[in-house]
mmCIF file of all heavy atoms in Angstrom:
data_model
loop_
_atom_site.group_PDB
_atom_site.id
_atom_site.type_symbol
_atom_site.label_atom_id
_atom_site.label_comp_id
_atom_site.label_asym_id
_atom_site.label_seq_id
_atom_site.Cartn_x
_atom_site.Cartn_y
_atom_site.Cartn_z
ATOM 1 N N THR A 144 6.904 157.224 122.106
ATOM 2 C CA THR A 144 7.511 157.584 120.903
ATOM 3 C C THR A 144 8.636 158.533 121.051
ATOM 4 O O THR A 144 9.205 158.981 120.090
ATOM 5 C CB THR A 144 6.494 158.139 119.826
ATOM 6 O OG1 THR A 144 5.788 159.191 120.485
ATOM 7 C CG2 THR A 144 5.469 157.014 119.551
ATOM 8 N N ASP A 145 8.977 158.882 122.336
ATOM 9 C CA ASP A 145 9.920 159.974 122.544
ATOM 10 C C ASP A 145 10.899 159.500 123.636
ATOM 11 O O ASP A 145 11.308 160.292 124.595
ATOM 12 C CB ASP A 145 9.216 161.255 122.959
ATOM 13 C CG ASP A 145 8.256 161.072 124.158
ATOM 14 O OD1 ASP A 145 8.328 160.012 124.790
ATOM 15 O OD2 ASP A 145 7.570 161.995 124.555
ATOM 16 N N PHE A 146 11.411 158.321 123.468
ATOM 17 C CA PHE A 146 12.408 157.728 124.404
ATOM 18 C C PHE A 146 11.928 157.749 125.925
ATOM 19 O O PHE A 146 12.828 157.885 126.833
ATOM 20 C CB PHE A 146 13.740 158.564 124.259
ATOM 21 C CG PHE A 146 14.376 158.449 122.933
ATOM 22 C CD1 PHE A 146 14.115 159.340 121.922
ATOM 23 C CD2 PHE A 146 15.067 157.314 122.491
ATOM 24 C CE1 PHE A 146 14.760 159.287 120.687
ATOM 25 C CE2 PHE A 146 15.683 157.205 121.287
ATOM 26 C CZ PHE A 146 15.439 158.244 120.381
ATOM 27 N N GLY A 147 10.719 157.610 126.100
ATOM 28 C CA GLY A 147 10.206 157.478 127.481
ATOM 29 C C GLY A 147 9.774 158.637 128.237
ATOM 30 O O GLY A 147 9.467 158.590 129.440
ATOM 31 N N ARG A 148 9.871 159.833 127.547
ATOM 32 C CA ARG A 148 9.479 161.053 128.258
ATOM 33 C C ARG A 148 8.046 160.993 128.464
ATOM 34 O O ARG A 148 7.451 161.683 129.442
ATOM 35 C CB ARG A 148 9.918 162.241 127.429
ATOM 36 C CG ARG A 148 11.448 162.611 127.534
ATOM 37 C CD ARG A 148 11.744 163.851 126.876
ATOM 38 N NE ARG A 148 11.519 163.843 125.388
ATOM 39 C CZ ARG A 148 12.320 163.471 124.449
ATOM 40 N NH1 ARG A 148 13.608 163.047 124.892
ATOM 41 N NH2 ARG A 148 12.021 163.503 123.166
ATOM 42 N N SER A 149 7.239 160.470 127.588
ATOM 43 C CA SER A 149 5.656 160.310 127.817
ATOM 44 C C SER A 149 5.454 159.051 127.411
ATOM 45 O O SER A 149 6.026 158.307 126.525
ATOM 46 C CB SER A 149 5.032 161.362 127.084
ATOM 47 O OG SER A 149 5.246 161.288 125.661
ATOM 48 N N TRP A 150 4.226 158.478 128.027
ATOM 49 C CA TRP A 150 3.796 157.109 127.652
ATOM 50 C C TRP A 150 2.230 157.057 127.407
ATOM 51 O O TRP A 150 1.624 157.880 128.042
ATOM 52 C CB TRP A 150 4.021 156.152 128.769
ATOM 53 C CG TRP A 150 5.536 155.908 128.966
ATOM 54 C CD1 TRP A 150 6.438 156.660 129.769
ATOM 55 C CD2 TRP A 150 6.339 154.856 128.383
ATOM 56 N NE1 TRP A 150 7.711 156.125 129.624
ATOM 57 C CE2 TRP A 150 7.654 155.059 128.798
ATOM 58 C CE3 TRP A 150 6.127 153.759 127.567
ATOM 59 C CZ2 TRP A 150 8.747 154.216 128.489
ATOM 60 C CZ3 TRP A 150 7.150 152.987 127.170
ATOM 61 C CH2 TRP A 150 8.429 153.181 127.741
ATOM 62 N N THR A 151 1.775 156.260 126.549
ATOM 63 C CA THR A 151 0.367 156.073 126.267
ATOM 64 C C THR A 151 -0.018 154.716 126.587
ATOM 65 O O THR A 151 0.593 153.755 126.200
ATOM 66 C CB THR A 151 0.017 156.403 124.782
ATOM 67 O OG1 THR A 151 0.431 157.661 124.494
ATOM 68 C CG2 THR A 151 -1.550 156.184 124.503
ATOM 69 N N SER A 152 -1.120 154.515 127.387
ATOM 70 C CA SER A 152 -1.541 153.157 127.754
ATOM 71 C C SER A 152 -2.281 152.566 126.449
ATOM 72 O O SER A 152 -3.172 153.192 125.949
ATOM 73 C CB SER A 152 -2.506 153.396 128.973
ATOM 74 O OG SER A 152 -3.120 151.946 129.209
ATOM 75 N N LEU A 153 -1.993 151.229 126.222
ATOM 76 C CA LEU A 153 -2.667 150.543 125.283
ATOM 77 C C LEU A 153 -3.621 149.400 125.828
ATOM 78 O O LEU A 153 -4.078 148.659 125.065
ATOM 79 C CB LEU A 153 -1.511 149.903 124.320
ATOM 80 C CG LEU A 153 -0.575 150.834 123.704
ATOM 81 C CD1 LEU A 153 0.424 149.999 122.860
ATOM 82 C CD2 LEU A 153 -1.130 151.862 122.905
ATOM 83 N N ALA A 154 -3.616 149.370 127.100
ATOM 84 C CA ALA A 154 -4.521 148.428 127.728
ATOM 85 C C ALA A 154 -5.959 148.867 127.731
ATOM 86 O O ALA A 154 -6.367 149.948 128.026
ATOM 87 C CB ALA A 154 -4.142 148.231 129.322
ATOM 88 N N THR A 155 -6.806 147.909 127.226
ATOM 89 C CA THR A 155 -8.260 148.185 127.059
ATOM 90 C C THR A 155 -9.006 146.995 127.801
ATOM 91 O O THR A 155 -8.352 146.046 128.283
ATOM 92 C CB THR A 155 -8.645 148.274 125.536
ATOM 93 O OG1 THR A 155 -8.574 146.833 125.078
ATOM 94 C CG2 THR A 155 -7.822 149.029 124.690
ATOM 95 N N ASP A 156 -10.246 147.128 127.929
ATOM 96 C CA ASP A 156 -11.030 146.115 128.562
ATOM 97 C C ASP A 156 -10.951 144.821 127.837
ATOM 98 O O ASP A 156 -11.444 143.774 128.377
ATOM 99 C CB ASP A 156 -12.502 146.613 128.872
ATOM 100 C CG ASP A 156 -12.537 147.704 129.818
ATOM 101 O OD1 ASP A 156 -11.664 147.907 130.571
ATOM 102 O OD2 ASP A 156 -13.591 148.411 129.790
ATOM 103 N N GLU A 157 -10.576 144.832 126.558
ATOM 104 C CA GLU A 157 -10.603 143.610 125.690
ATOM 105 C C GLU A 157 -9.468 142.655 126.149
ATOM 106 O O GLU A 157 -9.552 141.381 125.967
ATOM 107 C CB GLU A 157 -10.476 143.955 124.262
ATOM 108 C CG GLU A 157 -11.666 144.759 123.862
ATOM 109 C CD GLU A 157 -11.163 145.827 122.709
ATOM 110 O OE1 GLU A 157 -9.965 146.426 122.767
ATOM 111 O OE2 GLU A 157 -11.889 145.944 121.689
ATOM 112 N N ILE A 158 -8.466 143.157 126.759
ATOM 113 C CA ILE A 158 -7.335 142.367 127.321
ATOM 114 C C ILE A 158 -7.634 141.696 128.736
ATOM 115 O O ILE A 158 -7.953 142.320 129.551
ATOM 116 C CB ILE A 158 -6.028 143.251 127.437
ATOM 117 C CG1 ILE A 158 -5.532 143.828 126.011
ATOM 118 C CG2 ILE A 158 -4.937 142.327 128.020
ATOM 119 C CD1 ILE A 158 -4.291 144.626 126.160
ATOM 120 N N ASP A 159 -7.594 140.394 128.607
ATOM 121 C CA ASP A 159 -7.932 139.542 129.742
ATOM 122 C C ASP A 159 -6.497 139.076 130.495
ATOM 123 O O ASP A 159 -5.869 138.351 129.796
ATOM 124 C CB ASP A 159 -8.776 138.425 129.398
ATOM 125 C CG ASP A 159 -9.297 137.721 130.652
ATOM 126 O OD1 ASP A 159 -9.222 138.175 131.749
ATOM 127 O OD2 ASP A 159 -9.786 136.559 130.479
ATOM 128 N N GLY A 160 -6.347 139.437 131.792
ATOM 129 C CA GLY A 160 -5.279 138.887 132.448
ATOM 130 C C GLY A 160 -4.035 139.812 132.488
ATOM 131 O O GLY A 160 -4.058 140.785 131.637
#
Side-chain angles (χ1 to χ4, degrees):
T144 57
D145 56 10
F146 296 99
R148 288 189 292 271
S149 63
W150 296 86
T151 300
S152 174
L153 304 183
T155 71
D156 292 340
E157 298 147 320
I158 298 178
D159 184 19

